[in-house]
Structure formats: structure tokens, C-alpha cells
Amino acid sequence: MYIKKIILAVAILGMIAFGIFGYYIYNSIFSSNTSFEAKEEVVYIPSNANFQTVIDSLKPFVKDLESFSLVAQKKGYADNVRPGRYFLKKGMNNNELVNTLRSGNKPVKVIFNNQERLENLAGRISEQIEADSVSLLKTFKDSEFLSENDLNDKTALGMYIPNQYEFYWNTSAEEFRSRMKKEYDRFWNEERLKKAEQIGLSPKEVITLASIVQKETAKVDERPKVAGVYMNRYKNGWKLDADPTVIYAIKETTGNFDTIIKRVLYKDLELESPYNTYKYRQIPPGPIWMPDISSIDAVLNYEDHDFYYFVADVENFGYHKFAKNLAQHNRNKQEYIRWINKQGIKR
């Protein structure tokens, strides 16, 4: 009888212990283990991260890291960490947390436009994906890549078509560049290539001219008209005489791209630079700015008219007055000069 009681007691204790153990296991797997009040939080797991890096990243968001570690090890995640951008939802249990970190990498929307140089582009992109600006710039300027794709350090900026794209946060510099090359090739479809051929320009020349148009006017509806002026000059063998190219030439020559120039002086027109379209007839060696798609398409579909000149319209800011001959242009120009002098703008 005594032995039976002992066996019964051991059995009861075993059941209690098993119940406690089961309760602990259940809680460690299925009970909420988040410690934030927002609906969700974002966690970034860098490339080449180990499990300790994950733990460190989760510290602000997870209540019980020990139980999370147990579940992560049981599910094989601790030895198979995956980089990326993950959204943790309030109230997630350890099982859900591990599943999210294992297969819930969410893309980011990468947006860029109107960058002046590759350096600016690298900085802008590094704010949105894991790759840093140094590695991005080095990749953008890689001489072997540029040579293989008929590009150089002057034309390389034109390969990056400004838009909104989806990337995984842990995208490398090389992966970003490769995707952009594919987007560039997709952009220059048969229709656009045919239009470029019809107006006598290569895609690179179209982008360079579009960058000038972009700098001349912020008004999308006016861009085809401005493009028409430059195409009239180009087709008739004139120099483009574009002030934005002189401003870029000054920056490029001095190496100071932070300088602000609101007024081009006559002495600037003599600056020795292939970007100075007051001095040289040909289209500059590369874009002076990253043009919008609207500016590129404005060149490809430029307005057919008889205007050869334009100057800022002081009565309708943002737009320009167009002229067919020099006499008419000089009258418009004097009106602008009087206005700019009144504003006290000397440089």
C-alpha cells in the first residue's frame, strides 16, 4: 500500500511538472512577447548579421529575449539569420516573430530625382537602402562597368532614370546598379529609340539636352516648347547658348558644386569648358542635372515652332517669353534685366 502511494505521488508530481513545463513551452511560443505600444515597428537586420545581432536589434521591441532565443533555436532560425527589413506587429508571439524574421522581408520604395552628380545620387540612395554612399559611388564609377556599357564618367548619371522603384533594403551597391541598367534599357524602348533617331540625337544626347531643358524651366507644360527652341538652334548649326550649362561649367571647373549662381555674367561666357555652350556648338559631354522623364520626353516630342530665343517672363513667374528674332528677344531681355537689377541680384 505504501509503495502504491509513493508511485501515485510521483505520478501526480510528474503530471504537475509536465503541466508546468507545457505551460512554459506554450507561453514561450504562443504568448505575446512584444514591448511596444505602436501598431507595428520596423527592424533592420544587416547583411552578414549573426544571431546576436538579431538579439541586439530586437531589444527595444521584445519583452523576453530568452524565450525568443529558445524558439528561434528550436525553429532553426538562430543558425540561418536573414538580412532585411521586417515589420513587427504589436502582440506577436515568439513563433510569429521568428516566422516574420525568417520570411517577411519587405521591400522599400526607393525614390530619386534631380541629382546633379553621381556623388549626390549615391548619397540619396544610401539614405534608403543598406549600401553606403562610398560603396555606391565606387560602383557607379567603376571603369570596367562603364566601358562595357558604352558609358563614361560624364554620361554615367544619365543611366539612372528618376522614378520610384521597389528594392529590398539589403540590396547591395552592385545589385542596385544592375537593376538601374535594366530600367534604363527598358526605358529606351523601341518607340523612344525611334524618336531619338528621327530627331538626329543619340539617347545620351537626348538626356543631356533634357537636363538643360529641366534646368531652364520647372513648368512641365512649357518643356516641349523650350526643347523646341534648342532643337531649332541645334538643327540650324547654332550654339545652344544655354545659361545652365555655363553655371555647371563654373561649378565643374572650380570643383565647388555648392555655389549658388543666380545670374550669369558676360565674363562667364568666355570660360573654357566643354560644358560652355556659349563657346562650343556641340551638345555638352554629359547631363548637367538628372532630368525628369517629362523632360526627356519633351525633347523626344519637342514642339515644332519658329522660336529661337526665350527669357524669363517677369509678369508670369516660372514661365518664359519666346521670340522668333533677335530684335524681339532683346526687348524681352531688357525687361528681364531691369527686373533683376531692381531685385539687386548681382550674382
Side-chain angles (χ1 to χ4, degrees), residues 25-34 62 64 67-77 88 91-104:
I25 293 297
Y26 179 87
N27 276 344
S28 67
I29 297 176
F30 298 110
S31 294
S32 171
N33 196 23
T34 57
V62 173
D64 185 355
S67 66
F68 168 80
S69 297
L70 175 64
V71 174
Q73 290 166 6
K74 292 292 184 183
K75 292 175 72 71
Y77 171 76
L88 309 182
M92 275 185 165
N93 57 47
N94 286 325
N95 188 59
E96 292 169 328
L97 288 169
V98 172
N99 287 344
T100 295
L101 293 171
R102 189 161 58 183
S103 59

Side-chain angles (χ1 to χ4, degrees), residues 161-180:
I161 303 297
N163 211 328
Q164 176 176 290
Y165 303 94
E166 276 197 353
F167 283 91
Y168 285 111
W169 172 78
N170 51 302
T171 296
S172 69
E174 290 78 11
E175 289 169 336
F176 176 81
R177 184 189 64 188
S178 177
R179 166 76 180 282
M180 287 296 95

Side-chain angles (χ1 to χ4, degrees), residues 81-291:
V81 171
R82 299 174 184 178
R85 170 177 175 259
Y86 301 93
F87 284 83
L88 309 182
K89 297 186 182 300
K90 182 180 179 181
M92 275 185 165
N93 57 47
N94 286 325
N95 188 59
E96 292 169 328
L97 288 169
V98 172
N99 287 344
T100 295
L101 293 171
R102 189 161 58 183
S103 59
N105 188 11
K106 299 294 184 183
V108 296
K109 293 187 184 301
V110 174
I111 304 172
F112 62 89
N113 62 358
N114 306 145
Q115 306 301 311
E116 191 168 29
R117 297 181 299 154
L118 289 173
E119 286 81 356
N120 303 107
L121 177 62
R124 178 76 179 101
I125 300 305
S126 69
E127 297 171 351
Q128 302 175 75
I129 63 174
E130 183 183 20
D132 62 76
S133 60
V134 175
S135 62
L136 283 163
L137 184 58
K138 182 180 179 181
T139 302
F140 294 167
K141 290 188 171 185
D142 179 62
S143 58
E144 185 176 349
F145 172 83
L146 294 178
S147 178
E148 288 175 353
N149 291 281
D150 192 28
L151 296 167
N152 56 49
D153 59 339
K154 306 294 186 186
T155 60
L157 183 67
M159 193 193 83
Y160 301 88
I161 303 297
N163 211 328
Q164 176 176 290
Y165 303 94
E166 276 197 353
F167 283 91
Y168 285 111
W169 172 78
N170 51 302
T171 296
S172 69
E174 290 78 11
E175 289 169 336
F176 176 81
R177 184 189 64 188
S178 177
R179 166 76 180 282
M180 287 296 95
K181 179 58 169 63
K182 291 179 181 177
E183 295 294 342
Y184 175 82
D185 293 338
R186 185 179 294 117
F187 177 82
W188 283 104
N189 54 31
E190 185 177 349
E191 181 183 359
R192 284 194 173 99
L193 287 173
K194 185 177 180 179
K195 286 183 178 180
E197 183 179 5
Q198 288 172 343
I199 65 175
L201 298 178
S202 69
K204 296 184 187 67
E205 289 174 324
V206 170
I207 287 177
T208 297
L209 192 55
S211 73
I212 299 173
V213 172
Q214 176 91 27
K215 272 293 190 178
E216 289 285 16
T217 179
K219 302 296 185 180
V220 174
D221 60 325
E222 191 184 50
R223 287 173 182 168
K225 193 170 186 177
V226 171
V229 170
Y230 283 123
M231 286 303 299
N232 283 344
R233 294 176 184 176
Y234 179 78
K235 288 186 297 183
N236 283 278
W238 293 22
K239 297 191 302 301
L240 296 181
D241 287 355
D243 285 2
T245 67
V246 179
I247 294 172
Y248 185 87
I250 294 171
K251 292 181 177 183
E252 199 259 350
T253 301
T254 62
N256 183 7
F257 282 87
D258 294 325
T259 187
I260 298 175
I261 300 173
K262 295 183 178 180
R263 185 172 186 174
V264 173
L265 308 178
Y266 285 112
K267 67 176 183 179
D268 299 330
L269 307 185
E270 299 302 318
L271 180 65
E272 183 59 45
S273 169
Y275 288 96
N276 185 355
T277 57
Y278 278 88
K279 198 172 184 67
Y280 295 101
R281 189 180 69 82
Q282 64 267 26
I283 292 174
I288 61 171
W289 189 254
M290 180 182 287

